[in-house]
Amino acid sequence: MTISTQGMQLRSGSRFASDAVELLSSMRFAISLLTVICIASVIGTVVKQHEPANNYVNQFGPFWADVFASAGLFSVYSAWWFLAILAFLVISTSLCIARNTPKILVDFKAYKENIREQSLKAFPHRAESSLDEKPEAAARRIGQSLLGSGWKVKLQSRETPSGLGWMVAAKAGATNKIGYLAAHSAIVLVCIGGLLDGDLMVRAQMWFNGKTPFMGGGLIADVPAQHRLSASNPTFRGNLLVTEGTTAGTAILAQPAGVLLQDLPFRVELKKFIVEYYDTGMPKLFASDIVIHDNETGEQKETRVEVNHPASHRGINIYQSSFDDGGSRVKLQAVPLTRPTRPFEIEGVIGGSSALSNGDEQMTLEYTGLRVINVENFSDQGSDKAVDVRKVDLRGAIESRLGSGHKTVTEKVLRNVGPSITYKLRDSAGQAIEYHNYMLPMELDGMRMYLLGLRENPSDTFRYLRVPADDQDSLDGFVRLRAGLASAPMRAEAVRRYAEQAVEGGRPDLAEALIASASRAIDLFAGEERIALPESMRTAPDMPPILGGLPALSSFLEANVPAEERERASDVLVRILNGVLFELMQLSREREGLPPMERGEFTQQFMTAAVISLSDSFLYPAPMTFQLKDFEHIQASVFQVARAPGQNIVYLGCLLLIVGIFAMLYVRERRLWIWLTPTGEQSAQASMALSTNRKTMEADREFDMLKSQLLKVTP
């Protein structure tokens, strides 16, 4: 029997109904649906599902984000068209099974012993031979031999002009046809299981029970009933966030227009969250010790949930999905950076916010994240080895790429640099800039540096301002220097001290000229004098003037000094600037009652890094930065809770699919006919033919063996 790609043909009814049934039950339609489902699954794998709308706008842009959202590509597996395709695939495959099953069952039982002798000559595998035995004896001998080899045999006698002839009909590998039914039944079962475990039931409750997504905020207990699903909901899949030491019994089901709340028949208490890290800083194990409190019986069951080791209660599986911050408490120190402001401390909770005011300027401080472990790669730090570009080390290049999958060309030097805080400063217009500050300084290029990061958009990477740590490993030295730079009296005093040390006594003309040059340099660096960019340095016609820092000095030199003298003038100006800034640092320490900094290698490194940091600080958008001073880390575990009645159906479908594919690929269906006609009293003429569903070399070898064994013909 051959499997037809045509559909079921109705013998009555309208032409439209007949064509529709034929299309639905045809194999070509089922294959087309499977192709569309595969493409949709690829899209659902590549595109992150159920993300916030802003993430898609940042990734694809407003236009394409709207187009993809209207097509349901951000929630492919719950889109109406995906569910409709699954339903049509179930119908189409079921009709294919219904159409072909009767034929397969008939063919499974039939031996086709009524085939004519003339038809045997049309088979590719055929042979003839003369036997020295009667047809009946030969038929019984051949039948017994085939039965011993695992064939199913049927003998038939026929009257012929030359006497009584015998037909030996045998078959083997008939389970190949069962493989077709098993594979197609598997598709139906998997699709039914997918429909049951999808959000079809949730959508049905929204359509028929008036359930609507919730788009507001507040406490979960205050959410109205029309946004809640009952604990008897037959199928759902949602997320449950539980903070250490608390309980939760309501899962969140994300919807395109908001969320639905799923009440559970139990509450989950998180006793302790456990996380272990690799050397790279990636988590290698996270698990949750929980207590399940049954709402009906009051039973308390202690268990542990790990990745790939879920817990189960009342038919609901609890999976360890991820972990999050559970509302850690942080204490931040406000450090003035670009404007003279009074330092202060502020406390908050991760996920919360605090109101700030700076005169008429109102801002909101949002605590967005706390990381207690930050592992960074320091392999490039302190690398001063010269590279010989003429060297070709083929062996080293090959070995560096062999081995384990995580191996890289350069050796990693991983180091935990301590905790970090992430926060946002949002102005009254709603515009926010995100900041990322490390709690401790880290060793960079031989100098201890505090890293203050910022970014304007979530899709951007953080850009960091490097601030050198002083001799007490703190930011105080840089803050004092920045405050002194903003004070005109302190700048003037620093210039006077620098001139006194630089000019020998009795040369008031040189001292006056040096004071004028130093005052101009420090005022330009401090941003007291706005310098417009020369046309050669502008990237846009309407670029604003330089606020200060080294770019202001560079612009001043380009605008006022001839090109051939700029290099010498810049060296002199930078030397004067460094000297004035050093005196400014000493003056700031003196006013705080601190001893002066001793001249040495550390002081030189600190002042060099401080000049660059002061120059870059003019680009820092906030008047202050917030440093993490203390924290109380509270973990939270994110569970996925699911009631999946279709799970066992899917498992059964997968088993049938494996059996069906194995049967169709590795079981060959063969049929053998041997027609025996008498040619004398003790002789017979044998005509043999073999049919197989696949033409292989194994079939050729088997036919040669059968000829030798049954017909005594030497291949």
Side-chain angles (χ1 to χ4, degrees):
M1 189 205 89
T2 58
I3 305 300
S4 174
T5 61
Q6 298 297 320
M8 187 180 296
Q9 302 290 338
L10 294 181
R11 301 183 181 275
S12 61
S14 64
R15 177 67 179 273
F16 176 78
S18 177
D19 293 342
V21 171
E22 192 277 332
L23 177 64
L24 283 175
S25 60
S26 63
M27 189 179 296
R28 65 182 186 278
F29 184 69
I31 293 175
S32 301
L33 293 178
L34 273 175
T35 303
V36 176
I37 287 178
C38 291
I39 296 174
S41 300
V42 170
I43 295 174
T45 303
V46 174
V47 179
K48 291 184 178 180
Q49 302 290 289
H50 301 290
E51 291 282 309
N54 291 336
N55 293 4
Y56 296 119
V57 173
N58 293 332
Q59 183 177 2
F60 301 109
F63 175 77
W64 288 111
D66 289 341
V67 172
F68 294 158
S70 61
L73 300 186
F74 302 144
S75 54
V76 170
Y77 304 112
S78 59
W80 66 268
W81 53 266
F82 188 84
L83 298 177
I85 291 174
L86 284 181
F88 275 112
L89 183 60
V90 169
I91 296 173
S92 177
T93 310
S94 300
L95 290 176
C96 287
I97 295 174
R99 175 171 55 89
N100 290 302
T101 298
K103 302 176 184 178
I104 291 175
L105 295 179
V106 170
D107 192 65
F108 187 76
K109 297 178 180 179
Y111 287 85
K112 299 183 179 181
E113 68 277 8
N114 294 320
I115 190 172
R116 295 181 301 172
E117 177 186 2
Q118 195 67 23
S119 300
L120 299 180
K121 299 179 180 180
F123 286 91
H125 294 94
R126 59 185 183 274
E128 294 183 354
S129 178
S130 298
L131 302 177
D132 296 332
E133 52 187 333
K134 292 183 178 180
E136 181 178 0
R140 298 191 182 280
R141 175 184 61 82
I142 292 173
Q144 290 296 327
S145 179
L146 289 174
L147 286 173
S149 300
W151 292 70
K152 294 182 178 180
V153 181
K154 186 175 184 178
L155 303 181
Q156 182 193 52
S157 61
R158 301 181 193 172
E159 288 292 339
T160 64
S162 58
L164 186 64
W166 285 81
M167 170 64 75
V168 180
K171 62 180 182 179
T175 53
N176 175 271
K177 295 288 194 303
I178 303 300
Y180 172 88
L181 296 178
H184 284 70
S185 300
I187 295 175
V188 174
L189 292 176
V190 170
C191 291
I192 292 176
L195 288 171
L196 289 177
D197 289 351
D199 65 346
L200 188 61
M201 295 296 179
V202 175
R203 287 178 176 268
Q205 296 186 57
M206 294 173 63
W207 292 334
F208 303 112
N209 293 344
K211 302 296 182 179
T212 58
F214 179 68
M215 295 179 288
L219 299 177
I220 291 180
D222 298 334
V223 177
Q226 65 266 26
H227 309 303
R228 293 178 174 272
L229 302 178
S230 68
S232 59
N233 186 14
T235 174
F236 61 85
R237 187 177 299 270
N239 293 323
L240 181 69
L241 187 143
V242 189
T243 304
E244 283 182 329
T246 65
T247 61
T250 303
I252 305 297
L253 278 61
Q255 299 294 313
V259 297
L260 289 172
L261 303 185
Q262 173 64 59
D263 292 327
L264 302 176
F266 54 82
R267 292 174 292 112
V268 176
E269 178 186 359
L270 179 60
K271 302 293 289 185
K272 184 176 180 56
F273 179 78
I274 303 161
V275 60
E276 298 177 3
Y277 295 91
Y278 289 107
D279 294 338
T280 60
M282 296 295 293
K284 68 177 180 180
L285 168 69
F286 46 95
S288 301
D289 291 333
I290 65 173
V291 179
I292 300 175
H293 301 266
D294 192 281
N295 294 339
E296 182 178 344
T297 64
E299 175 191 2
Q300 297 184 8
K301 182 172 68 174
E302 295 187 4
T303 184
R304 169 174 284 197
V305 181
E306 298 181 14
V307 177
N308 298 326
H309 294 84
S312 181
H313 187 71
R314 288 188 173 269
I316 299 176
N317 293 325
I318 306 173
Y319 301 92
Q320 181 71 63
S321 176
S322 62
F323 60 94
D324 204 344
D325 192 278
S328 300
R329 298 177 179 87
V330 294
K331 179 186 292 186
L332 304 183
Q333 173 75 37
V335 180
L337 197 62
T338 61
R339 302 180 202 168
T341 56
R342 180 177 298 178
F344 61 92
E345 292 184 358
I346 189 170
E347 297 184 8
V349 176
I350 298 299
S353 62
S354 300
L356 302 176
S357 63
N358 186 15
D360 296 335
E361 186 179 2
Q362 302 294 326
M363 304 190 73
T364 302
L365 173 62
E366 301 175 358
Y367 312 93
T368 57
L370 171 69
R371 293 189 62 180
V372 297
I373 292 180
N374 290 276
V375 178
E376 304 292 346
N377 182 15
F378 286 80
S379 60
D380 295 332
Q381 299 298 323
S383 178
D384 55 355
K385 297 180 181 179
V387 179
D388 186 359
V389 297
R390 299 166 298 174
K391 181 179 179 181
V392 179
D393 188 1
L394 183 59
R395 178 180 178 180
I398 294 175
E399 289 180 350
S400 67
R401 288 165 173 81
L402 296 179
S404 60
H406 71 275
K407 197 172 185 179
T408 58
V409 178
T410 58
E411 182 182 0
K412 291 185 177 181
V413 180
L414 302 176
R415 190 183 307 159
N416 180 16
V417 297
S420 65
I421 182 70
T422 306
Y423 62 90
K424 289 182 180 180
L425 282 177
R426 190 177 302 274
D427 58 22
S428 56
Q431 301 296 321
I433 297 179
E434 189 174 12
Y435 298 86
H436 179 223
N437 296 343
Y438 288 91
M439 184 179 184
L440 303 175
M442 60 185 71
E443 192 81 20
L444 296 175
D445 300 327
M447 186 69 189
R448 301 273 291 174
M449 296 280 190
Y450 282 92
L451 297 186
L452 312 178
L454 66 93
R455 63 182 178 184
E456 287 80 10
N457 298 309
S459 58
D460 299 337
T461 57
F462 282 102
R463 296 174 287 118
Y464 290 91
L465 172 65
R466 297 185 177 189
V467 179
D470 60 11
D471 53 348
Q472 300 299 319
D473 211 29
S474 71
L475 283 171
D476 296 341
F478 179 82
V479 172
R480 287 193 299 266
L481 181 59
R482 185 66 179 83
L485 184 64
S487 172
M490 291 186 66
R491 293 199 306 270
E493 178 64 19
V495 169
R496 187 189 64 79
R497 292 187 179 187
Y498 170 73
E500 285 182 356
Q501 296 183 11
V503 178
E504 297 179 357
R507 298 295 303 273
D509 54 336
L510 291 180
E512 185 177 350
L514 182 57
I515 289 175
S517 298
S519 298
R520 188 67 182 274
I522 195 66
D523 289 344
L524 285 171
F525 188 81
E528 290 297 321
E529 183 179 346
R530 301 296 177 91
I531 300 296
L533 278 174
E535 294 185 0
S536 60
M537 298 179 62
R538 294 184 183 180
T539 57
D542 56 346
M543 284 193 65
I546 298 297
L547 297 178
L550 295 176
L553 296 178
S554 178
S555 301
F556 173 78
L557 291 174
E558 184 164 346
N560 297 279
V561 179
E564 61 274 8
E565 299 181 8
R566 286 176 192 163
E567 183 176 356
R568 183 176 60 86
S570 63
D571 291 340
V572 173
L573 199 60
V574 169
R575 192 178 306 115
I576 293 174
L577 176 65
N578 289 335
V580 175
L581 287 175
F582 179 75
E583 294 300 328
L584 189 62
M585 168 60 74
Q586 300 289 48
L587 181 60
S588 66
R589 293 177 64 89
E590 178 184 322
R591 295 195 175 185
E592 292 289 334
L594 300 174
M597 293 183 68
E598 297 182 0
R599 295 181 181 271
E601 183 180 357
F602 174 81
T603 301
Q604 182 179 358
Q605 290 180 345
F606 176 82
M607 291 305 303
T608 301
V611 171
I612 299 175
S613 300
L614 288 172
S615 179
D616 293 340
S617 67
F618 287 95
L619 302 177
Y620 201 78
M624 65 189 71
T625 185
F626 290 91
Q627 285 297 108
L628 183 61
K629 188 175 182 180
D630 195 8
F631 62 88
E632 180 185 354
H633 192 212
I634 300 176
Q635 298 272 28
S637 189
V638 180
F639 301 104
Q640 185 181 86
V641 290
R643 177 178 280 159
Q647 180 177 347
N648 294 330
I649 299 177
V650 172
Y651 288 158
L652 177 60
C654 292
L655 177 62
L656 287 178
L657 186 62
I658 294 173
V659 172
I661 292 178
F662 183 85
M664 289 191 294
L665 292 181
Y666 297 101
V667 177
R668 292 184 301 110
E669 183 186 17
R670 293 102 65 204
R671 289 185 179 272
L672 182 70
W673 297 273
I674 302 177
W675 172 243
L676 302 167
T677 57
T679 57
E681 292 184 1
Q682 295 294 329
S683 62
Q685 180 68 27
S687 297
M688 185 175 74
L690 175 71
S691 93
T692 179
N693 61 336
R694 287 196 301 273
K695 296 180 180 179
T696 60
M697 296 179 63
E698 185 179 356
D700 297 338
R701 290 193 295 268
E702 184 180 25
F703 184 71
D704 291 339
M705 183 190 68
L706 291 173
K707 285 193 301 182
S708 175
Q709 178 182 353
L710 303 178
L711 302 186
K712 302 179 181 180
V713 175
T714 303

